[in-house]
Amino acid sequence: MSWAPTRPCARGAGGEGTAAGAARVRGRASRRTARRRPGVREDRDRCHHRRGRPRGSLTAADGTEYPVHGEVRLGRLPDNDISIDDTKVSREHAVITGSVSGFAVRDLQSSNGTYVGERRVSGQLPLSDGDELTLGRTTFRFRMVEE
């Protein structure tokens, strides 16, 4: 699976996601960040502050695969990370958060609810590999991605 970020990196100038980019925001590159270190990738898909965080994917019924990392917002609005064309899905329906301990889904007070399997999400619910996530009439399969 090819991974492409859906949002620019929160750190760094213009979403570059590099330590040198973060230093340029302050107006100068420090000696420590200006040098390239051998064996260290500094592109957007391996941003320095995301190391050690798990990655996952959501697969829709039609086979479309969406990467899941950090915080991913799901809903009907086009500015969500994953925009869902379903009238039963709220504009801002749910958010999936990933941390070192794993992934969890949180319902954003949607009208029709968010379900993991048959269980309705109230508050925050952890996600496991293979879980079915249902928003409105749309179902996704959640998978952990090995690096």
Side-chain angles (χ1 to χ4, degrees), residues 52-55 69-71 96-104 124 144:
R53 289 191 180 174
R55 293 179 193 255
H69 58 87
E71 182 178 278
I96 298 174
T97 53
S99 67
V100 177
S101 60
F103 287 96
Q124 192 165 323
M144 294 293 287

Side-chain angles (χ1 to χ4, degrees), residues 1-6 41 43-46 55-59 63-69 145-147:
M1 177 181 89
S2 174
W3 182 82
T6 54
R41 290 184 60 182
D43 54 355
R44 282 175 56 184
D45 66 341
R46 301 281 179 152
R55 293 179 193 255
S57 72
L58 287 177
T59 306
T64 307
E65 197 168 81
Y66 301 95
V68 178
H69 58 87
V145 176
E146 298 296 322
E147 291 194 51

Side-chain angles (χ1 to χ4, degrees), residues 3-25 41-51 53 55 69-71 81:
W3 182 82
T6 54
R7 282 188 184 173
C9 180
R11 298 182 188 178
E16 291 172 350
T18 65
R24 279 196 296 275
V25 170
R41 290 184 60 182
E42 292 184 335
D43 54 355
R44 282 175 56 184
D45 66 341
R46 301 281 179 152
C47 194
H48 68 283
H49 62 277
R50 288 194 182 136
R51 285 189 204 137
R53 289 191 180 174
R55 293 179 193 255
H69 58 87
E71 182 178 278
D81 297 311

Side-chain angles (χ1 to χ4, degrees), residues 64-114:
T64 307
E65 197 168 81
Y66 301 95
V68 178
H69 58 87
E71 182 178 278
V72 177
R73 292 189 164 271
L74 299 98
R76 227 179 38 234
L77 289 176
D79 63 338
N80 284 309
D81 297 311
I82 300 175
S83 182
I84 303 167
D85 186 25
D86 180 348
T87 56
K88 297 289 184 183
V89 173
S90 298
R91 289 175 295 208
E92 293 179 342
H93 197 99
V95 64
I96 298 174
T97 53
S99 67
V100 177
S101 60
F103 287 96
V105 63
R106 182 169 38 99
D107 186 71
L108 300 176
Q109 300 178 341
S110 62
S111 301
N112 295 312
T114 302

